[in-house]
Amino acid sequence: MFVPDRSQRIRSVPSCNIRVGQAATQGQTVLAAAGDSGSEDCYPSNGSTALQVDYPASDPWVTAVGGTSRFGPGDEVVWNTCQGTTTITCANGGGGAGAGGLSRYEPRPSYQPNIWDWAATQPCGRDCREVSDISANAGVGMVVYANGAWIHPGGTSLAAPLMAGLLADKNDGCTTLTGVYTPALYALYDQGVYGTALTDITSGDNDLTGSNGTDWPATSGYDTATGVGSPLAAGLSCPEVTSVSSSSSYPGSTLTINGLGLEKASIYFGATAASVQSETATQATVTVPTGSGTVTLSAKDVMGTGTRTTSFTFTSPPPPPPPPPAQTTQTAGYDMVASDGGVFSFGSATFHGSMGGKPLNAPIVAATVDPTTGGYWEVASDGGIFAFTAPFYGSMGGKPLNKPIVAMAVTPTGGGYWEVASDGGIFAFGNAAFYGSMGGQPLNKPIVGIAAGPTGHGYWEVASDGGIFAFGNAAFYGSMGGHPLNAPIVGIAALSTGTGYYEVASDGGLFAFGSSPGRAPFHGSMGGQPLNQPIVALVLQGAGGYWEIARDGGVFAFGSAQFYGSMGGQPLNKPIVGAVATGG
């Protein structure tokens, strides 16, 4: 079967007349039925039960199409009407199975997986061409009109034209014709597109005569019984952009692209590739790259470039939020919060209430201050938020979580906040926007903290090994990730300028990062000094100093930060888990 150029009809020609090399140079794809006699393809013609494949399907220039059968959703298997029989009776009674196996004459193309080798040397050697490449429905009759009547034939002779039709549709959406299809098909397979472009067939075999001990079984991934699997049309397309969530936006913002074949596609704004956050066959979420003016938004992958595109116009980013209202009197102090929600205020810090003594579904893990009201929020490990003299913008409380919440951060204006889970998942509320996360991505160690960027358009996540992950306009200045640590990192605190940040370890060790001249200054630490309980939080007093807070409520002041008292040595119902500063 040919998939010709778009001006021709699909037509079948005798195999002896197929000049497949010439067809490829003309942009034509040649497909052939793998055969209907399973792994013993010569059995109907000469009665041989030896392992054989069919020609021209075995030609490396040809895409060999095997057969599957489907009995309902989720149960697509190798087509073999004699499946499980151990005698030749079924094959003699007209049974059929999708052909597949190893050629004896054609060498294996370099792009094809090397699954099977011949035990003894053949004319092609031992590492030879494998058949099939892909499979389609052969076991369920397809209704067609032929010779003046409606009939419902099956077999790989129907699977091949079905694939030809899908490739003809693909060509209609590509800027160039496919030509030899198998290199692109296997490149797509190598990207891992099961569920979006291909269905993995893992059940059955093609031993039609029961003579070869199921030599070619279906397995996970590529196998000779069904090739790379069966097609899912939306994912086999050249990547096409059919619409976008907004036709204009600014660099660093997030857009949703709709289309076809997007599961492993590169998305281009003009000539600049975008960072892809997530994707399926029909939708991709991307971060808008740097650019200007109006450009073409397009996509391409190993299948080629799609014909459908759309226009996109770059706009200027929104202005940074205004600074928090100035306080008439400058205060100095801190509030500590315990895992039962109890709050302890020192210096000029104001007590606004707490969850202490109240029922909680999950323990409190952190707190943060509202820069507008001076109140604060407590956050629990189930994502519940408790607001005290601070507005409530929503929470993950009562919603399913893959991993527990470990920290929260507030936007510079106090109009929203982020919750972060130990797997790096980010949940944004109020005017806090989502700029990406480590959720669903591999981590060496769990996330333990989050800090907001200077304008509210980004944030940092920190892991217990000191790894830093920057999102939005939060800049990466370095980290302890990959460096030896005496104790794990437990938190992060960032300068309000956004030019630097600190990591703090449970032994009180402090690590400062940033760009000169705004680098986070080091004022000392408890690293290497004896502690009754581990450090759990770091609280900044501007750029001039900071406090380290211990699990027993002990406070250690450095730089211009003054000591205003602590819970160290006093009885606690539950340990301290976080602290916030009220200014100073």
Side-chain angles (χ1 to χ4, degrees):
M1 289 306 226
F2 275 109
V3 177
D5 63 60
R6 289 183 276 273
S7 65
Q8 294 178 293
R9 294 173 59 87
I10 297 174
R11 57 191 175 88
S12 63
V13 296
S15 61
C16 59
N17 293 331
I18 296 179
R19 301 177 63 184
V20 290
Q22 180 180 349
T25 64
Q26 296 171 172
Q28 294 167 301
T29 303
V30 182
L31 300 99
D36 296 347
S37 300
S39 55
E40 304 89 10
D41 195 64
C42 292
Y43 180 72
S45 60
N46 61 19
S48 171
T49 59
L51 294 170
Q52 299 286 351
V53 296
D54 197 55
Y55 185 86
S58 60
D59 192 308
W61 292 92
V62 171
T63 301
V65 183
T68 65
S69 188
R70 182 186 290 275
F71 302 100
D75 62 357
E76 192 171 5
V77 300
V78 180
W79 173 53
N80 185 354
T81 60
C82 298
Q83 185 72 65
T85 62
T86 57
T87 68
I88 211 163
T89 304
C90 177
N92 289 337
L102 286 177
S103 172
R104 297 181 186 274
Y105 298 97
E106 301 287 354
R108 181 179 64 86
S110 60
Y111 50 77
Q112 189 175 44
N114 186 11
I115 304 300
W116 296 97
D117 289 335
W118 285 114
T121 301
Q122 307 294 320
C124 56
R126 297 177 65 179
D127 180 13
C128 300
R129 162 82 161 126
E130 294 169 325
V131 177
S132 297
D133 296 308
I134 193 168
S135 294
N137 174 53
V140 180
M142 289 183 267
V143 178
V144 297
Y145 189 78
N147 297 324
W150 289 100
I151 58 175
H152 52 91
T156 59
S157 293
L158 270 293
L162 173 60
M163 275 303 307
L166 291 178
L167 290 183
D169 287 342
K170 171 189 176 296
N171 274 349
D172 281 339
C174 295
T175 56
T176 58
L177 297 177
T178 300
V180 181
Y181 180 55
T182 43
L185 175 64
Y186 285 108
L188 190 68
Y189 159 77
D190 287 338
Q191 291 181 332
V193 290
Y194 284 123
T196 56
L198 299 167
T199 297
D200 193 9
I201 310 302
T202 60
S203 179
D205 62 70
N206 62 351
D207 184 8
L208 178 68
T209 66
S211 305
N212 290 293
T214 64
D215 278 81
W216 315 129
T219 60
S220 296
Y222 177 84
D223 53 69
T224 53
T226 58
V228 296
S230 64
L232 296 173
L236 289 181
S237 169
C238 282
E240 297 197 76
V241 176
T242 56
S243 65
V244 62
S245 58
S246 176
S247 61
S248 62
S249 193
Y250 55 91
S253 61
T254 299
L255 289 183
T256 299
I257 311 296
N258 300 305
L260 296 172
L262 300 178
E263 64 271 58
K264 295 294 180 180
S266 297
I267 309 295
Y268 287 89
F269 288 71
T272 304
S275 173
V276 178
Q277 299 177 11
S278 63
E279 76 283 336
T280 66
T282 56
Q283 193 172 86
T285 301
V286 303
T287 301
V288 178
T290 301
S292 61
T294 298
V295 298
T296 297
L297 202 162
S298 62
K300 68 178 181 179
D301 71 354
V302 295
M303 285 289 168
T305 302
T307 58
R308 296 188 67 175
T309 61
T310 190
S311 62
F312 176 84
T313 301
F314 287 95
T315 61
S316 299
Q327 295 178 322
T328 56
T329 59
Q330 198 168 33
T331 60
Y334 38 79
D335 295 285
M336 286 184 275
V337 62
S339 65
D340 63 354
V343 170
F344 308 95
S345 302
F346 297 91
S348 59
T350 301
F351 177 77
H352 296 281
S354 79
M355 292 303 294
K358 299 175 183 178
L360 290 168
N361 293 327
I364 300 298
V365 293
T368 192
V369 69
D370 181 352
T372 302
T373 67
Y376 42 76
W377 296 275
E378 297 181 13
V379 61
S381 63
D382 64 352
I385 293 283
F386 306 95
F388 300 93
T389 316
F392 177 75
Y393 297 111
S395 79
M396 291 304 293
K399 300 175 182 177
L401 292 168
N402 292 329
K403 294 292 182 179
I405 298 299
V406 293
M408 70 180 295
V410 65
T411 61
T413 61
Y417 42 72
W418 297 275
E419 297 183 24
V420 64
S422 64
D423 63 354
I426 292 284
F427 308 96
F429 301 93
N431 69 1
F434 178 78
Y435 296 104
S437 79
M438 292 305 294
Q441 302 185 51
L443 291 168
N444 292 329
K445 293 292 182 179
I447 298 298
V448 294
I450 183 174
T455 64
H457 297 301
Y459 39 76
W460 297 275
E461 296 183 20
V462 63
S464 65
D465 64 353
I468 292 282
F469 307 95
F471 299 93
N473 65 359
F476 178 76
Y477 297 115
S479 78
M480 292 304 295
H483 297 281
L485 292 168
N486 293 327
I489 298 298
V490 294
I492 181 174
L495 299 179
S496 61
T497 58
T499 57
Y501 46 73
Y502 302 91
E503 297 182 26
V504 62
S506 64
D507 66 350
L510 198 70
F511 308 95
F513 301 91
S515 60
S516 298
R519 179 185 178 92
F522 179 76
H523 301 292
S525 78
M526 292 302 294
Q529 303 183 51
L531 290 168
N532 292 329
Q533 293 288 324
I535 299 298
V536 294
L538 178 71
V539 180
L540 300 188
Q541 187 190 50
Y546 42 74
W547 298 276
E548 294 186 7
I549 312 295
R551 188 172 184 267
D552 62 355
V555 174
F556 308 94
F558 299 93
S560 62
Q562 298 183 41
F563 177 78
Y564 297 107
S566 78
M567 293 302 295
Q570 302 183 51
L572 291 168
N573 292 328
K574 294 291 181 180
I576 299 298
V577 293
V580 296
T582 59

